[in-house]
Amino acid sequence: MGGSFVVNLALNPLKKLNEEISTINETSLTKKLKISKNISEANKIAISFNNLLQRLDDAFKSQKNFVQHASHELRTPLTTMFATTQAALEGSHSVDEYKEILRSLKQDQNNLIELSNALLLLSQLEKLQYKPEWKVIRIDDLLYESMAYTKKIFNGMVIDFAFNTIPETEEFLQFKASEPLLRSAFTNLIKNAFLYSNNQKTNIILVADKDALEVHFENTGRHLSEKEVL
């Protein structure tokens, strides 16, 4: 009788721990098990389980952020392609004009494929390290492409582009990187500079020399609230 009491007393913390664990699911990963001041095996298990919950919660948040990012990135080119197709169907154009529209759609589709591949790469963060197969990019060429693309989406957009200093050689403008991801980043920065400006104007300044390669996006307008920043 006494032995049974001692066993039950010893197992009681584990039973309580099991009851707490059974209430946790994918919607309550932020819930943590109670940690007592006593040093016991049950307490060690609770600490390890809480650490596991934190890692799972971080993984779910990362997945959610990626899905939101991917949806946002894919929406813009799809919307552009739809608008171009709709305009072509509603209007009357010459053969050459239709060919030009198709060439534009083909380029948009190619950019969409590249972006999809880049997002797939982004979903596997460990693969985002330097890749030898990345091609050499000229940053000014990529900026011009990004500016042309955003101007096609937003009517009335004004962009001033200038070099802070004239590079001594073309090498100062070149580097290896993931072109689709960098193009997406530039496009988003230009788009946001336009949307949150008070005069629909964006200034882009490129600093390129042997010591630095920087791109500055500037606009005038109100400061974003903390909610808008998040």
Side-chain angles (χ1 to χ4, degrees):
M1 189 76 175
S4 176
F5 174 77
V6 172
V7 171
N8 286 333
L9 186 64
L11 291 178
N12 191 49
L14 292 176
K15 290 180 180 178
K16 290 183 178 179
L17 194 62
N18 182 60
E19 290 174 358
E20 284 190 72
I21 291 175
S22 65
T23 64
I24 297 175
N25 54 40
E26 67 275 9
T27 63
S28 58
L29 293 177
T30 55
K31 182 179 179 181
K32 297 294 185 288
L33 301 180
K34 295 179 181 178
I35 306 296
S36 67
K37 295 182 180 180
N38 299 325
I39 299 176
S40 64
E41 289 302 316
N43 220 34
K44 292 179 181 178
I45 293 173
I47 293 172
S48 297
F49 191 80
N50 283 345
N51 291 335
L52 174 62
L53 285 178
Q54 184 61 55
R55 291 194 295 272
L56 286 173
D57 187 45
D58 291 341
F60 272 100
K61 287 179 179 177
S62 177
Q63 183 183 52
K64 181 180 178 181
N65 289 337
F66 171 75
V67 171
Q68 291 177 338
H69 177 74
S71 300
H72 175 74
E73 292 299 321
L74 293 172
R75 186 184 303 116
T76 299
L78 288 172
T79 302
T80 303
M81 291 167 59
F82 178 82
T84 301
T85 304
Q86 188 70 25
L89 290 173
E90 293 177 352
S92 178
H93 306 279
S94 66
V95 173
D96 289 339
E97 287 173 334
Y98 276 120
K99 286 183 177 180
E100 183 60 32
I101 292 171
L102 288 174
R103 278 192 289 268
S104 176
L105 285 171
K106 182 181 178 181
Q107 182 60 49
D108 288 340
Q109 291 164 3
N110 184 61
N111 291 341
L112 186 59
I113 291 171
E114 288 187 352
L115 179 58
S116 299
N117 291 334
L119 288 172
L120 181 61
L121 179 63
L122 188 61
S123 69
Q124 303 169 359
L125 294 179
E126 70 278 4
K127 294 183 179 181
L128 275 181
Q129 299 175 359
Y130 168 75
K131 294 290 183 181
E133 63 269 22
W134 282 350
K135 67 179 183 179
V136 176
I137 297 172
R138 272 196 57 144
I139 193 167
D140 54 335
D141 289 343
L142 194 58
L143 281 168
Y144 283 125
E145 290 178 18
S146 302
M147 287 186 283
Y149 180 72
T150 48
K151 281 184 176 180
K152 186 168 64 173
I153 301 172
F154 300 102
N155 293 325
M157 175 181 283
V158 178
I159 302 176
D160 280 348
F161 174 69
F163 287 88
N164 180 267
T165 55
I166 302 299
E168 295 180 7
T169 67
E170 291 186 359
E171 292 181 356
F172 293 162
L173 298 170
Q174 299 174 342
F175 60 98
K176 283 189 174 183
S178 172
E179 184 175 353
L181 285 179
L182 195 56
R183 182 188 293 109
S184 175
F186 285 163
T187 301
N188 275 327
L189 287 168
I190 295 171
K191 179 180 68 175
N192 288 335
F194 166 76
L195 292 176
Y196 295 101
S197 70
N198 56 15
N199 58 2
Q200 299 185 330
K201 183 178 180 180
T202 304
N203 295 318
I204 301 177
I205 302 170
L206 178 59
V207 180
D209 56 41
K210 62 181 180 180
D211 298 319
L213 184 58
E214 302 175 0
V215 185
H216 299 262
F217 297 84
E218 302 176 351
N219 71 342
T220 58
R222 66 178 180 83
H223 290 287
L224 300 182
S225 65
E226 291 185 6
K227 184 177 180 180
E228 287 174 319
V229 171
L230 296 175

